[in-house]
Amino acid sequence: MKKTTTIVIVENAFRKSAIKQFLFETKIAQTIEFKSSLLECMSGTCQPAFLIIDSELLPEPHQVSLDKIKQKNSDCKILLLHHGAVDTHILPYIDGHIQFFDSEEEILHSFRTFFTDEKHPFVNKMVDNTLSERELEVVKLVALGKTNKEISDALYISAHTVVSHRKNITNKLGIKTIAGLAVYAVLNGLIDPEEVNK
Amino acid sequence: MLVTESTKLADVIHHNYLLLPILNRFNIQLGFGNKTVKEICSEQGVHLQFFLEIVNSFLDNDYFPETELQSFPLKYIIDYIKRSHVFYVEFKVPQIEKLIAELLEKASVENRQSYKLIQNFFIEYKAELIEHIDKEEDNIHPYVLKLDEAIQNNKVDSELRALVKKESITLYADDHDNIEDKLFDLKNLMIKYLPPTEDYSLSNAILYELFRLERDLGDHSRIEEKVLIPKVEAIEKQILGA
């Protein structure tokens, strides 16, 4: 089986949830694991296809650390998150970088190129099962307990279209019930857990 | 495999160990040596044809017995269904609940909230399952037993005919759907979307139990739909025609 795991090494909760949200918006289905240090990911069993790491958590000198990762797992693509300008010496070791001050559009673009590069063609196959923007909106409203009628009013689409979106969502996700979609929506940060209880 | 009266019960279990809880519902305990189905049934006072029907329909979803084999009283079916209910409510569901609680206990801080969602989902599922079971036991079973008794004792009167017209089993030939869908979703949420746990043997254990519960419940609804309901419908016709 091909590795499709993405490991994200960041420390604080704020960044973690921001990255989750961005990864979700790139609509590239991945198994994402969060770790708080690179050490946790240098064990034998850990073979991510993609590694996203905060430069603050990358031991100095960066060049050596990155080289070690590539030696251990040459197929692993690395995306570096950093504050200031990126050191040109390390560019050959990484497959992309994002600055914390980049605009939303730039960040999304960087994530997308990072994941969809030709080197990993299987990523494109997985896109088929990800939800479209519209379907995501529908999942969100279904999870919040809205009826088909309410969803059709909110999104200015016909009730028939809502039904067809819901069918596609069930097929793509393998989730049939409203309660199940609510759990999915919370797990993927589409809605707040508090909202479900309303 | 078609189980007959001369099949050794031990061979049946070797063939499919998922039948074990079904033996319990007939009060058949392990340690039966090389005895055949017929021997064990007569020792335990279990209706042989009924036992064969239950076991065979579990092994083969399309198994449908000849009408002459269906000649056992309805109270056997009701009794069997009630025992399966006890198995779900008092044993299986609490067992899974306990495993999920353990999962939550062992979860890392960042996973705890996600696992909590699964726990709540299962609690909701359990409530629905119990509601469904209560509805069956409080409404359907007394109705079926009343018809059965009247037919056995040849006491069909206008009052009973009025009851059949008002109640009718087809009104209940209903909704296992949502309960089945919920179990399906729970499996998929765990397989596809839940952040993985370090203790993989624990999540495996939960999934094994969910798969087993699903299989058992599927068999349970098949018995209701293919055995109980057709039999009751036939009796209803008989009563209305009398």
Side-chain angles (χ1 to χ4, degrees), chain A residues 16 20 31-35 171-181 183-184 186-188 193-194, chain B residues 110 113-115 117-118 120-121 124 177-178 180-185 188-189 192-196 198:
Chain A
K16 214 180 262 186
K20 240 186 212 170
T31 316
I32 298 163
E33 274 181 62
F34 285 90
K35 309 257 183 205
N171 287 340
K172 285 182 178 178
L173 299 180
I175 297 181
K176 297 175 179 176
T177 66
I178 295 172
L181 286 174
V183 173
Y184 175 85
V186 176
L187 284 178
N188 288 284
E194 257 92 83
Chain B
E110 63 240 49
Q113 203 183 14
S114 305
Y115 294 171
L117 293 171
I118 292 296
N120 290 341
F121 190 86
E124 216 177 282
D177 282 7
N178 197 43
E180 280 167 20
D181 287 350
K182 270 226 161 101
L183 197 52
F184 175 87
D185 283 1
N188 248 347
L189 285 166
K192 291 185 172 178
Y193 305 113
L194 204 64
E198 303 273 302

Side-chain angles (χ1 to χ4, degrees), chain A:
Chain A
M1 219 165 101
K2 274 183 172 163
K3 300 162 292 180
T4 57
T5 315
T6 298
I7 288 189
V8 182
I9 303 173
V10 280
E11 211 165 27
N12 71 54
F14 213 87
R15 280 178 197 169
K16 214 180 262 186
S17 80
I19 288 170
K20 240 186 212 170
Q21 187 58 36
F22 275 120
L23 288 179
F24 183 70
E25 278 174 38
T26 59
K27 289 195 244 116
I28 292 158
Q30 289 283 324
T31 316
I32 298 163
E33 274 181 62
F34 285 90
K35 309 257 183 205
S36 48
S37 90
L38 185 60
L39 273 178
E40 279 182 73
C41 162
M42 290 305 278
S43 72
T45 50
C46 186
Q47 296 263 311
F50 303 99
L51 179 74
I52 299 172
I53 182 164
D54 187 333
S55 62
E56 283 176 10
L57 298 175
L58 187 67
E60 296 273 5
H62 288 174
Q63 211 168 315
V64 178
S65 300
L66 291 166
D67 193 39
K68 264 191 201 157
I69 301 172
K70 287 276 180 183
Q71 268 175 24
K72 184 178 164 276
N73 178 2
S74 58
D75 289 341
C76 177
K77 292 183 77 182
I78 303 171
L79 182 73
L80 193 69
L81 309 174
H82 59 101
H83 294 268
V86 68
D87 179 354
T88 46
H89 289 105
I90 64 167
L91 281 176
Y93 295 92
I94 58 177
D95 302 277
H97 58 95
I98 288 172
Q99 205 187 344
F100 284 114
F101 300 112
D102 283 347
S103 73
E104 197 177 327
E105 234 177 76
E106 284 169 328
I107 294 176
L108 269 176
H109 178 75
S110 304
F111 272 124
R112 287 211 177 99
T113 3
F114 175 62
F115 282 109
T116 49
D117 189 280
E118 303 266 273
K119 274 190 232 162
H120 292 273
F122 59 89
V123 166
N124 295 326
K125 272 184 223 152
M126 299 180 67
V127 174
D128 292 341
N129 260 349
T130 47
L131 303 178
S132 70
E133 298 270 340
R134 209 39 155 187
E135 285 162 352
L136 285 172
E137 287 175 89
V138 174
V139 170
K140 212 166 146 174
L141 293 170
V142 171
L144 292 172
K146 305 285 182 218
T147 62
N148 285 353
K149 173 83 177 65
E150 286 169 324
I151 297 172
S152 102
D153 289 347
L155 300 181
Y156 304 103
I157 53 181
S158 75
H160 178 78
T161 312
V162 176
V163 171
S164 124
H165 279 314
R166 288 186 65 166
K167 224 182 262 169
N168 291 337
I169 290 164
T170 293
N171 287 340
K172 285 182 178 178
L173 299 180
I175 297 181
K176 297 175 179 176
T177 66
I178 295 172
L181 286 174
V183 173
Y184 175 85
V186 176
L187 284 178
N188 288 284
L190 286 176
I191 55 172
D192 223 23
E194 257 92 83
E195 287 178 276
V196 190
N197 300 325
K198 273 180 199 164

